[in-house]
Amino acid sequence: MTLQAVTPFRIAVPDAELDDLRQRLDRARFTEELPGAGWDYGVPVGYVRDLVAHWRTAYDWRAWEAKLNAYPQFTTTIDGQRVHFLHVRSPEPDAMPLILTHGWPGSIAEFLDVIGPLSDPRAHGGDPATAFHLVIPSLPGFGFSGPTTERGWGPRRIAAAWAELMTRLGYDRYCVAGNDWGTFVSLDLGRIASDRVIGVHVTQIFAGPAGEPGELDDLTDDEQAALDNERQFEETMSAYAVLQTQQPQSLAHALVDSPVGLLGWHCLIYRGGLDPDFILTNVMIHWLTGTVASAMRIYHEFVHQEGPAVPTTVPVGLAQFSEDTKPVRRFVHRDHHNLVSWNTYDRPGHFAATQSPDLLIADIQNFFRPLRQVHAGQG
């Protein structure tokens, strides 16, 4: 397809949609809970009540809509699926293309705080030699990409769509970065387009034992602690992943009808000092675009996608933040043969682009700095 297939887009939610949401919030019914339960049974009622109160009295969707609309947006159709994306070109002539991918229950709003410093570092007191042209898509089935309409939109198919998107935008060689499901998509993009991808930067790497005899016999104390932490997370904190892998549609009937229910479910992830406006903006994007069910389906699609993942060979960098489980390095090296950067930070968090944008920006810039030089030498 040609560049004519890329269409300008602007977010413009009808007032009627916002009025309907306001009425639903006004009529919200809250569940009961056991005294002193805290987070033991899931997201506490008080946590949800406080967010709903902010939603009703202080949150301004139009202000966030304007923030998103401040950046050029487009849609295109790839493999039969609508894809929405921001495309922010740097003013620097030597900027490198970088495609950034979010996860669940996030959206393109995850990256608002890093767009300026990454695309125009000179204007933010940084080195202009680290500038990027940014492509920030909404995952198929998420947000303004709209619902998926057929099976199979797992990370590998999305990665193939991203390779086509970058071709369509005229980028022959490019950098890749992602968070959460964006990690899976970004690493798969490095696999399927290794001749075009300069490097892949992620904020998580999920790599565990392969079930081979003896592979757990000589673990260090730190490695055993990392595995124990991952096991504890899977046993006590991963209810959303289990349900959305097995029966996403069953829960979607409730969440698409109740904004408070949707908020409560998303707050399995949105906890720990996140800005209320950030939480609500991401929830709003799922609600207003009718992508509650299709976004959840990525978990089901992941476990049913075809073919095993082969090891990556492009340069890979990890920025590990405090709120994510820590992988065991030997298992990471088994799956990623060219791991060249591994930095651990004591600051949060899972949504690093919002929680610790300065650290994430610097890590991305530093990871790609030598890779730019190699690319320039090849050019």
Side-chain angles (χ1 to χ4, degrees):
M1 299 190 62
T2 66
L3 289 178
Q4 283 82 11
V6 175
T7 304
F9 177 83
R10 185 173 178 83
I11 303 167
V13 174
D15 287 338
E17 293 287 333
L18 300 181
D19 292 340
D20 174 75
L21 172 62
R22 189 174 301 109
Q23 292 168 10
R24 290 170 185 265
L25 294 176
D26 289 342
R27 298 195 308 269
R29 296 173 59 189
F30 294 92
T31 186
E32 51 73 43
E33 68 181 359
L34 293 174
W39 287 81
D40 291 347
Y41 291 79
V43 181
V45 176
Y47 189 75
V48 175
R49 279 187 178 275
D50 288 346
L51 282 168
V52 171
H54 181 81
W55 205 350
R56 292 179 63 245
T57 63
Y59 178 79
D60 184 356
W61 164 256
R62 292 301 186 199
W64 285 89
E65 186 179 73
K67 288 182 182 181
L68 292 167
N69 281 333
Y71 300 104
Q73 298 174 64
F74 303 87
T75 60
T76 191
T77 300
I78 300 175
D79 193 12
Q81 170 66 38
R82 169 183 159 122
V83 173
H84 162 265
F85 60 98
L86 306 184
H87 188 195
V88 183
R89 290 191 58 84
S90 172
E92 302 296 338
D94 296 327
M96 290 294 299
L98 170 65
I99 183 167
L100 287 165
T101 307
H102 65 85
W104 183 92
S107 70
I108 55 171
E110 288 185 30
F111 298 115
L112 282 173
D113 291 339
V114 303
I115 290 175
L118 287 177
S119 65
D120 192 3
R122 187 193 301 270
H124 292 80
D127 182 358
T130 63
F132 295 98
H133 301 305
L134 299 179
V135 179
I136 308 176
S138 299
L139 287 168
F142 286 66
F144 300 101
S145 285
T148 49
T149 59
E150 61 182 11
R151 296 172 184 261
W153 279 103
R156 289 179 201 150
R157 186 173 179 183
I158 296 171
W162 280 192
E164 168 60 23
L165 176 61
M166 296 304 274
T167 296
R168 200 168 291 185
L169 296 176
Y171 295 133
D172 295 326
R173 295 275 284 166
Y174 48 88
C175 308
V176 179
N179 171 63
D180 192 82
W181 281 111
T183 284
F184 290 89
V185 173
S186 296
L187 291 170
D188 277 339
L189 183 51
R191 292 181 176 104
I192 68 173
S194 58
D195 57 332
R196 301 174 60 198
V197 171
I198 294 167
V200 176
H201 183 281
V202 294
T203 50
Q204 304 89 22
I205 291 183
F206 303 93
E212 299 173 354
E215 68 177 333
L216 302 180
D217 290 349
D218 60 344
L219 293 176
T220 67
D221 290 344
D222 286 344
E223 290 174 333
Q224 186 62 57
L227 285 183
D228 290 344
N229 180 252
E230 174 65 23
R231 188 176 301 111
Q232 181 184 25
F233 178 86
E234 291 177 353
E235 292 175 354
T236 64
M237 299 282 289
S238 62
Y240 64 93
V242 173
L243 187 145
Q244 291 175 179
T245 296
Q246 297 179 358
Q247 294 282 322
Q249 198 71 19
S250 298
L251 180 62
H253 298 296
L255 302 188
V256 77
D257 190 54
S258 170
V260 175
L262 180 64
L263 172 65
W265 186 248
H266 282 190
C267 282
L268 285 167
I269 303 297
Y270 292 132
R271 60 175 76 193
L274 282 164
D275 176 64
D277 273 18
F278 171 76
I279 296 172
L280 294 173
T281 297
N282 284 286
V283 172
M284 287 284 285
I285 289 174
H286 287 251
W287 176 265
L288 294 171
T289 58
T291 55
V292 173
S294 57
M296 295 164 68
R297 285 198 292 266
I298 193 171
Y299 289 81
H300 185 85
E301 303 295 0
F302 171 68
V303 299
H304 291 90
Q305 64 185 2
E306 294 183 359
V310 298
T312 61
T313 57
V314 300
V316 172
L318 170 65
Q320 174 77 53
F321 289 85
S322 63
E323 294 174 350
D324 285 321
T325 56
K326 295 176 175 60
V328 175
R329 192 178 289 255
R330 70 175 74 185
F331 299 145
V332 173
H333 281 285
R334 178 200 64 209
D335 295 340
H336 307 288
H337 291 175
N338 196 6
L339 184 71
V340 299
S341 175
W342 181 312
N343 295 316
T344 301
Y345 299 104
D346 291 332
R347 281 169 49 190
H350 183 71
F351 299 97
T354 294
Q355 294 173 280
S356 300
D358 56 330
L359 294 181
L360 181 65
I361 290 163
D363 206 281
I364 289 174
Q365 290 172 335
N366 291 333
F367 171 68
F368 285 111
R369 190 186 302 272
L371 300 179
R372 289 172 180 266
Q373 296 170 357
V374 170
H375 172 72
Q378 292 174 343

